[in-house]
Amino acid sequence: MELTKDTRFLIIGLGLIGGCYARGLAKHGYHVAAVDQNPESIRYALAEGMIEKGSEIPTPELLGRCDAAVLGLYPAQMAGWIRQYQHLFRPGTLLTDVCGVKSGVVDAVQEALRPDLEFIGCHPMAGRELSGVQNSDERIFEGANFLITPTGRNTPEAIAFARELGRVLGFGRITELDPGQHDELIGFVSQLTHAIAVSLMTCNEDPNLQFVTGDSFRDLTRIARINEELWSELFFSNRERLLREIDSFAGQLGRLRRALAEGDQEGLREMFRKSTRRRAEFDRPAPEENA
């Protein structure tokens, strides 16, 4: 399916990211509708002009009219939702998602899907420390990474559609990964960083901390304001990979501690030099696209 201005989108779940999709697509002139069980979210999105139509429940009208549906659901909900409501989609509808884990999720959804529908996994690598459609802002996508996780069940047309969707929403780099590779990398760059932020905020309960912190602590712990239901589900969905990353991090923290405890100034400085070199690579201009 080709992405054109006539493409009709349906957002299933108007949370923060679903809301950002709705804002971004509406801003570029696409037709957007939404389903969300919270009537306040629907009313807000309608009032903001983010969507043209909305409902608290999936209806034949909304699901049957869309060309592409974006599933903004928790990982454990997705396959069950598909089994319950896929009969309402017309043949040829393309489905995608915004889920932060892919192993198990992509396979389960594709296994449950009717043969005349197609699902392709996507993961917008952007977010905010606040949740809900009221805090959505499509500008968080500008320059960010957009990950696509195709499988052997996906057509070249669906992959091209996902790439174009990432470009329309303003992402800076679009990368294709298989679901397992995605979860391996996400275990490190996303889930481990959240685990570290949470640990920092829970290892010292001094009530005066907020009066003495500087930018470094605030930057490190911004993501510690966390949706406990979603992130506990993400952690457990990727448990074995995340455990390996936590062990690897603990090993490096232990190495730093030993250098400090043993007075190994050169060893400590070498860790600092390596860290500086590695971090500098993140600031280099990226290629326009990496497939």
Side-chain angles (χ1 to χ4, degrees):
M1 184 177 70
E2 186 178 357
L3 177 53
T4 72
K5 290 294 184 177
D6 293 325
T7 300
R8 293 167 295 189
F9 284 91
L10 178 65
I11 312 296
I12 312 294
L14 272 177
L16 175 70
I17 300 300
C20 291
Y21 268 59
R23 284 190 189 275
L25 291 168
K27 179 181 177 180
H28 287 91
Y30 291 92
H31 301 288
V32 185
V35 173
D36 192 284
Q37 62 184 0
N38 185 345
E40 289 300 322
S41 296
I42 295 294
R43 281 194 285 269
Y44 177 85
L46 287 168
E48 288 285 303
M50 299 162 54
I51 61 174
E52 298 171 353
K53 295 183 179 180
S55 173
E56 298 167 45
I57 60 172
T59 66
E61 178 190 7
L62 289 181
L63 273 65
R65 290 186 70 253
C66 76
D67 301 302
V70 178
L71 302 175
L73 303 172
Y74 284 13
Q77 294 178 302
M78 289 179 57
W81 192 96
I82 289 294
R83 283 190 288 268
Q84 185 173 0
Y85 295 112
Q86 65 173 319
H87 67 282
L88 298 177
F89 289 113
R90 60 184 177 79
T93 303
L94 180 64
L95 289 79
T96 186
D97 73 325
V98 300
C99 187
V101 291
K102 298 302 180 191
S103 296
V105 173
V106 173
D107 285 345
V109 171
Q110 290 184 336
E111 285 286 343
L113 207 61
R114 286 167 24 202
D116 58 354
L117 303 175
E118 184 170 357
F119 172 83
I120 184 163
C122 292
H123 183 188
M125 289 294 292
R128 303 181 72 183
E129 61 272 24
L130 301 173
S131 60
V133 66
Q134 293 84 356
N135 294 301
S136 61
D137 184 346
E138 78 282 359
R139 291 174 295 182
I140 68 172
F141 295 153
E142 293 176 3
N145 291 318
F146 188 74
L147 309 182
I148 305 172
T149 58
T151 72
R153 297 173 183 263
N154 288 122
T155 62
E157 291 77 15
I159 298 172
F161 183 95
R163 284 185 164 275
E164 183 61 20
L165 176 61
R167 284 189 284 267
V168 166
L169 290 172
F171 287 89
R173 178 160 48 185
I174 300 168
T175 302
E176 292 178 32
L177 303 164
D178 69 61
Q181 185 183 15
H182 168 278
D183 287 359
E184 195 74 43
L185 294 170
I186 290 304
F188 178 71
V189 302
S190 178
Q191 294 176 346
L192 176 63
T193 55
H194 281 77
I196 292 169
V198 168
S199 299
L200 279 171
M201 289 307 306
T202 56
C203 72
N204 187 325
E205 297 187 4
D206 189 321
N208 296 310
L209 283 181
Q210 63 265 40
F211 304 123
V212 298
T213 56
D215 289 344
S216 58
F217 188 83
R218 292 180 183 277
D219 288 347
L220 279 169
T221 58
R222 176 186 62 81
I223 56 176
R225 294 181 64 176
I226 195 166
N227 179 329
E228 71 274 14
E229 292 185 13
L230 173 60
W231 279 92
S232 60
E233 189 171 313
L234 292 171
F235 275 25
F236 278 109
S237 295
N238 205 31
R239 177 168 56 184
E240 296 305 317
R241 294 180 177 90
L242 178 55
L243 285 171
R244 289 197 296 271
E245 298 300 346
I246 290 173
D247 289 343
S248 177
F249 176 78
Q252 286 300 304
L253 189 61
R255 178 186 170 195
L256 189 151
R257 187 188 187 284
R258 286 192 300 274
L260 187 61
E262 297 169 5
D264 183 4
Q265 189 175 69
E266 180 54 31
L268 190 62
R269 287 176 174 175
E270 177 53 33
M271 288 191 74
F272 290 168
R273 288 192 291 266
K274 181 178 180 180
S275 169
T276 299
R277 289 194 301 269
R278 288 285 290 123
R279 186 60 181 83
E281 294 176 10
F282 286 66
D283 297 324
R284 294 175 182 171
E288 182 177 337
E289 190 170 292
N290 174 27

